[in-house]
Amino acid sequence: MVTMEKIVSLCKRRGFIAPSSEIYGGFESCYDYGFLGALLKNNIKQNWWKTMTQYRDDIVGVDASILMSPKVWQASGHLTAGFADPLVECINCHKRFRKDHLKDKDRCPDCGHEPLGKERKFNLMMKTFIGPVEDEAAVTYLRGETCQGIYMNYQFMRDAMRMKVPFGIAQIGKAFRNEITPRYFIFKTREFEQMEMQYFVEPDEKEKKKLFDYWKKERMKWYLGLGVKKENLRFREHQKDELAHYAKKAVDIEYKFPWGWDEIEGIHDRGDWDLSNHSKHSGQDLSYFDEQTKNKFIPHIIETSAGADRAVLTFLVEAYDEVKGGRTETTESKKESEVVLRLNKELAPIKVTILPLVKNKKDLVKKAKEVYGLLKFHWMCQYDEVGSIGRRYRRGDEIAVPFVITIDFDSLKNDDVTVRDRDTMKQERIKIKELVDYLREKLGE
Ligand code: GAP
């Protein structure tokens, strides 16, 4: 069974993710992505970006500044109680907790003292200062959600890209929240990455065309299409009392993590909250004029908001497979269990490993390096000559490499190689000159 301990250990051991500032003992639930983690996350983001912008003609993308005028956050409601968590501090041990997460609302879960202190609202925005003087006039905030950067570019993109309602703007970027209770590895952190899309619609058309339901389905399809099993995903609609301050309606996509069902993405009907408030506070008219119907209105927004780090964790947990007793072809000891990361091929950080059968035969090494040199301009590849073939296969399986190519003595005579498939472990003999086309087809390109 997959546990968080196994995921965290694999991530550290194989260079996916490690605690930030580790030589200083780590720092406040912050994490760094190593090479394989960065490749995986980039593949996820690239797939999302293509799905949202390249494969459609009604959505464009932006890359807005993280730092914005503090007026943005006043207008959006993030500086008031709306974007705050209920915090209680134990009057005995002074530990702090989120009130809504406590089982026993009056007793400290740490030292058992009763009663706890009074509840107060704790704002999640991260404050910083612009310029050399750290006074109130210099205060601004690291963005708490990326979509505010999209609203700042709504008029710019609508006009410059000649977008007609309904249209969307997508963005991927970092967001920051001073979470009281970061937890579960990269699931809930204070610095994280979002993949958000804001769809601007005419209010009646939103209802008539059931656009909220449309986006719910589209987003569910994305996770399913990348290999997450249906039984591990579900929708959960927010009750009225848990709706965020901007939302008229919200449905989460939840994944069945080792600790239980939890949110990976939110689909929100934000109504006219954002553009109305930004119109009011900025004095700019952000309404839309429909040339055909002569109708002037403030567009409503349907938002799809996914966490890139939560997507990384979802795909890792989903892909993790442990084969007890080993996979017959490669195992040296029957007692061992082998880890296979069955990531969707498009998400796999490294697509091909190239191995010479043995490393002390010059001709084999030379040929293997030639093949590596040929393939690395097409895909992220790695060359590996250390250890037995079985061990090298297993190293590839553990980091989800879909194809392993072996150069053996026949390769020298016939100019061909064996290609081993990660999932089926089947091996095929392929001519070197046909390798690129063969892999292209196998990788679904
Ligand atoms: N713009 C809307 C918005 O930010 P949200 O439900 O607060 O909505 C959307 O966040 C998504 O962002 C979540 O479903 C999650 O994937 C990700 N997210 C939010 N807070 C996070 C945190 N502290 N750590 C990691 N990911 C987070």
Side-chain angles (χ1 to χ4, degrees):
M1 205 185 73
V2 56
T3 60
M4 282 311 287
E5 287 73 26
K6 288 178 184 173
I7 297 289
V8 173
S9 154
L10 174 74
C11 284
K12 180 72 201 297
R13 195 159 27 88
R14 298 310 312 275
F16 283 88
I17 302 164
S20 157
S21 322
E22 209 177 4
I23 59 168
Y24 292 101
F27 182 66
E28 299 285 350
S29 301
C30 294
Y31 291 92
D32 292 345
Y33 285 75
F35 188 39
L36 297 190
L39 287 168
L40 170 59
K41 196 183 193 187
N42 277 341
N43 290 343
I44 292 170
K45 290 191 289 182
Q46 216 172 61
N47 186 291
W48 182 92
W49 183 258
K50 279 188 184 172
T51 306
M52 284 298 183
T53 66
Q54 187 175 325
Y55 304 156
R56 310 182 57 107
D57 47 22
D58 57 348
I59 301 180
V60 293
V62 293
D63 181 9
S65 169
I66 288 178
L67 296 173
M68 288 182 270
S69 165
K71 290 177 185 162
V72 172
W73 304 107
Q74 268 147 21
S76 69
H78 281 75
L79 299 183
T80 51
F83 197 59
D85 281 341
L87 176 83
V88 278
E89 184 174 320
C90 173
I91 51 174
N92 182 45
C93 70
H94 299 289
K95 288 237 167 68
R96 291 171 172 189
F97 308 94
R98 258 187 77 160
K99 177 100 187 211
D100 53 338
H101 286 173
L102 292 179
K103 276 203 191 93
D104 186 337
K105 303 282 179 218
D106 299 317
R107 181 193 298 266
C108 174
D110 222 52
C111 73
H113 191 271
E114 196 180 331
L116 281 161
K118 274 215 177 88
E119 174 187 322
R120 61 193 172 88
K121 289 284 184 186
F122 177 75
N123 192 274
L124 303 179
M125 293 297 288
M126 288 238 194
K127 236 183 208 176
T128 188
F129 299 93
I130 291 274
V133 184
E134 293 190 3
D135 62 10
E136 272 308 301
V139 167
T140 191
Y141 303 87
L142 302 183
R143 64 186 175 198
E145 53 174 7
T146 54
C147 59
Q148 295 300 327
I150 292 181
Y151 308 141
M152 293 305 103
N153 288 290
Y154 152 78
Q155 225 173 13
F156 171 39
M157 284 297 98
R158 185 195 65 192
D159 298 345
M161 303 304 289
R162 290 180 286 129
M163 304 305 286
K164 299 251 181 300
V165 161
F167 74 92
I169 303 179
Q171 176 171 230
I172 299 173
K174 292 265 183 168
F176 302 82
R177 292 180 194 175
N178 211 355
E179 301 282 6
I180 302 169
T181 50
R183 62 203 150 117
Y184 302 133
F185 193 35
I186 53 167
F187 178 80
K188 188 172 188 188
T189 50
R190 296 189 174 109
E191 172 181 341
F192 54 97
E193 214 163 351
Q194 291 187 311
M195 305 185 288
E196 296 202 305
M197 193 282 300
Q198 312 294 308
Y199 205 63
F200 301 93
V201 298
E202 197 273 322
D204 289 339
E205 201 182 353
K206 173 181 81 178
E207 304 301 339
K208 260 192 253 147
K209 295 197 172 157
K210 297 189 175 8
L211 291 173
F212 186 85
D213 289 341
Y214 166 79
W215 277 110
K216 260 174 65 183
K217 285 188 199 129
E218 283 299 294
R219 295 304 305 142
M220 185 60 98
K221 236 167 57 189
W222 187 73
Y223 293 99
L224 293 169
L226 288 171
V228 184
K229 286 189 273 315
K230 206 172 166 193
E231 63 265 29
N232 292 338
L233 290 165
R234 71 176 188 193
F235 288 119
R236 188 184 73 82
E237 180 154 3
H238 283 213
Q239 302 298 310
K240 281 261 169 316
D241 62 352
E242 52 173 335
L243 284 175
H245 64 279
Y246 51 73
K248 276 177 170 323
K249 182 176 175 166
V251 171
D252 288 343
I253 295 179
E254 293 190 332
Y255 178 69
K256 202 175 183 182
F257 284 104
W259 64 86
W261 289 98
D262 224 327
E263 172 190 347
I264 53 174
E265 171 156 355
I267 294 107
H268 308 132
D269 181 343
R270 297 178 73 121
D272 68 353
W273 168 269
D274 300 282
L275 292 186
S276 288
N277 276 313
H278 286 307
S279 284
K280 205 159 66 197
H281 283 76
S282 68
Q284 300 277 323
D285 180 7
L286 298 178
S287 60
Y288 180 86
F289 181 68
D290 188 321
E291 297 286 352
Q292 271 178 343
T293 60
K294 308 291 176 211
N295 191 8
K296 192 175 175 205
F297 56 91
I298 294 272
H300 280 203
I301 290 167
I302 294 169
E303 163 181 72
T304 70
S305 176
D309 311 275
R310 288 194 189 176
V312 169
L313 191 57
T314 299
F315 291 120
L316 282 175
V317 170
E318 185 72 15
Y320 190 94
D321 187 15
E322 230 172 22
V323 184
K324 287 263 159 13
R327 306 174 88 195
T328 50
E329 165 214 3
T330 59
T331 312
E332 281 142 20
S333 159
K334 284 281 153 212
K335 288 194 191 122
E336 288 178 42
S337 63
E338 291 175 9
V339 174
V340 188
L341 205 54
R342 299 186 189 278
L343 279 175
N344 176 288
K345 294 184 175 69
E346 200 176 331
L347 301 186
I350 288 170
K351 308 291 191 231
V352 190
T353 307
I354 296 107
L355 326 170
L357 187 65
V358 285
K359 71 167 178 184
N360 53 2
K361 291 281 177 225
K362 264 196 196 145
D363 292 354
L364 287 184
V365 168
K366 185 166 170 265
K367 190 100 186 152
K369 287 194 172 161
E370 271 170 31
V371 173
Y372 174 55
L374 166 76
L375 298 182
K376 74 178 181 186
F377 291 101
H378 296 272
W379 300 282
M380 188 56 71
C381 298
Q382 66 175 11
Y383 172 81
D384 186 3
E385 60 176 27
V386 179
S388 69
I389 281 285
R391 207 169 278 279
R392 282 182 275 166
Y393 280 163
R394 286 159 61 183
R395 272 209 292 270
D397 287 346
E398 212 180 29
I399 59 164
V401 179
F403 298 105
V404 178
I405 291 177
T406 308
I407 284 81
D408 56 21
F409 293 103
D410 285 342
S411 307
L412 301 178
K413 282 185 273 169
N414 306 329
D415 255 337
D416 60 5
V417 296
T418 58
V419 183
R420 173 191 180 266
D421 181 296
R422 176 195 72 202
D423 296 325
T424 63
M425 293 193 298
K426 286 215 175 91
Q427 304 206 11
E428 277 193 81
R429 202 92 206 159
I430 306 292
K431 290 279 179 211
I432 292 174
K433 63 174 189 308
E434 288 160 14
L435 255 185
V436 170
D437 285 343
Y438 172 86
L439 290 170
R440 218 172 243 155
E441 196 196 317
K442 287 279 178 185
L443 287 165
E445 291 174 0

